Each structure stands twice: as structure tokens, then as C-alpha cells.
Amino acid sequence: MDRSRRNFCLGAGAAGIGAATLATMPAEAAQARQGGDAARRWAMVVDVRKCVGCQACTVACIMENDVPENSFRTIVSTYEVTEQGKTGTYMLPRLCNHCEDAPCIPVCPTGATHQRQDGIVVVDNTVCVGCAYCVQACPYDARFINHDTQTADKCTFCVHRIDAGLLPACVETCVGGARVFGDLNDPNSAVSKLNRETDPKVLKPEQGTQPRVFYIGLDPKFQGKVDGTPTLWRPAREKEHV
């Protein structure tokens, strides 16, 4: 069976499983928070003024989380923009926003996508059926179907590192110090101070998802649909030769 047909069959089967599960799973059970420390609320602040577009964060994430080829949990989107006759580039680091009101959670028919008590949104790939409902529900294009596992995948703030007392791989390797990670519930944490002192912005605020990834120096034109041309480094799988 070829790949396209196999994927179609998997999707059809997942849809059937999803419909049956939705009929029996209580809504509160699908959204119950599991694991993590309820006293914490992890968040990230990205200072786009410091991002140089080196993609060290992207590479570190791929290596740390064994992300399959041509898929990304985080990436720096680079755009060519023209304004008042002048052309320049704009860097926009992107990842899962770990929203307080995450739209990917209620659409998951098996409860595979859920939110921990510390706010981190994760996917249990032993339960996920690869239906991609969550991929479609995410307004930030931050999810994908892992071609190796055939399940949903995304940034988890490197939850395995967080639980071990370490920083996410992307934060640790950011050469410009553009990414800051910490506990919003701690008033003395760097992310709390930056949120108080810099009035950071979020992507697509009109969605009402309450993202927990904040941006310093974000041009309002880049909060929603980006009016620019992707350029410089735009990863794509090379065409296979027949």
C-alpha cells in the first residue's frame, strides 16, 4: 500500500475512533490537567530585537527532541519586507504558545493532547491516533503530524529538561539571548519582570487563547497574518529523483 493511501486509511480510522470516543468521553475529562507543579506557570519571552536568525534554536530543538526531517517544533521565520521604498528582513521566532485556553485540547478525541498543571501543553503519543484535529485547531501553525510516529507533535518547552531543572534547548543555545524562560507565578523570575516592565505582545491576540509565549519588540504587523515574503532560510525537503 502506498504512503498516500496508507495515510488516508489511517486518517479515516482515526476519524472513526474519534467520533466514538467523543460520544463517551466527558468534556471535563478531556481537558483535565495532568502532571506538573500547579504552583508554577511556565512561559517564554522572546525579544525579537535580539534575534539574529541564526537558527541555533531550531537545530538544538531538532537534536534534543529527535524531530524528523522537514518538521520543526520551533523555527525562526525570516521575512523580506518592503516599507517606504526600503527593503529589509524581519525575524520571527515561532513555537507552540502553550496557551492558557488552548484550542487544541477540546478537539482531541482521545485526550492525548492535554495541559499539565504548570501550563505546558503536551501530547501523549501512546494515545494519539493521528487524526490531526489539533493540527487544524492550532491558530499558530505550531503542530504537525510526526512522519515517524504518525502522531501529533509540537514544542513541549522541552518538558523532560524542565522536570530535570534545566532550560529548554532553544533557550540554552540562543546566541543572542533572545529567548527567556521561567515561572510567571514567581514575581522575581526574569519572565515576570519582563512582562511587568516591557509590555510584551502576543501573536493573534484576537483569538483569545491567552498565549504564554510573549514577544518584546514585536511589530504589530507581525502579530497576525504576516505581510511579507518568506526568504533567506526556508527549509524544504529536496525533491526525490525518480
Side-chain angles (χ1 to χ4, degrees):
M1 181 181 294
D2 63 49
R3 180 178 294 273
S4 60
R5 185 176 178 186
R6 178 176 179 272
N7 289 344
F8 173 80
C9 292
L10 283 172
I17 293 171
T21 308
L22 283 172
T24 58
M25 178 180 290
E28 61 271 15
Q31 301 186 57
R33 297 196 174 187
Q34 312 159 32
D37 183 356
R40 298 184 181 277
R41 202 343 172 165
W42 298 114
M44 186 180 293
V45 175
V46 179
D47 191 338
V48 297
R49 301 170 302 179
K50 296 180 178 180
C51 179
V52 297
C54 67
Q55 304 294 343
C57 54
T58 303
V59 175
C61 175
I62 291 172
M63 300 303 294
E64 179 71 31
N65 297 289
D66 193 24
V67 181
E69 182 183 4
N70 212 40
S71 295
F72 304 90
R73 289 186 172 194
T74 188
I75 194 171
V76 179
S77 294
T78 307
Y79 298 92
E80 180 183 281
V81 293
T82 301
E83 197 170 64
Q84 296 180 347
K86 296 182 179 180
T87 300
T89 57
Y90 193 87
M91 314 297 182
L92 182 62
R94 295 171 49 222
L95 65 158
C96 171
N97 283 253
H98 296 276
C99 309
E100 189 64 31
D101 186 14
C104 56
I105 295 175
V107 301
C108 179
T110 66
T113 290
H114 59 278
Q115 191 165 33
R116 302 192 342 157
Q117 294 181 89
D118 55 17
I120 298 179
V121 178
V122 294
V123 180
D124 182 349
N125 62 15
T126 66
V127 179
C128 177
V129 294
C131 64
Y133 292 163
C134 61
V135 176
Q136 298 299 319
C138 175
Y140 306 103
D141 192 26
R143 285 173 167 261
F144 60 94
I145 296 298
N146 187 307
H147 300 303
D148 294 338
T149 65
Q150 292 297 316
T151 58
D153 205 336
K154 57 178 280 299
C155 159
T156 64
F157 276 161
C158 285
V159 69
H160 59 289
R161 292 176 60 91
I162 302 307
D163 288 346
L166 302 172
L167 289 172
C170 64
V171 176
E172 195 168 78
T173 57
C174 180
V175 297
R179 298 189 182 214
V180 180
F181 182 82
D183 180 12
L184 273 181
N185 288 345
D186 178 3
N188 296 315
S189 71
V191 292
S192 290
K193 291 178 179 178
L194 287 171
N195 269 277
R196 289 196 303 269
E197 298 169 3
T198 64
D199 187 29
K201 307 302 180 184
V202 297
L203 298 179
K204 299 186 177 181
E206 72 281 357
Q207 295 287 334
T209 60
Q210 301 179 65
R212 289 301 178 262
V213 172
F214 304 92
Y215 291 85
I216 298 173
L218 180 65
D219 189 316
K221 295 190 293 295
F222 285 81
Q223 281 187 278
K225 181 180 178 181
V226 177
D227 186 17
T229 303
T231 185
L232 294 183
W233 192 77
R234 184 172 176 80
R237 184 190 299 274
E238 292 183 3
K239 293 182 179 180
E240 296 180 359
H241 296 287
V242 179

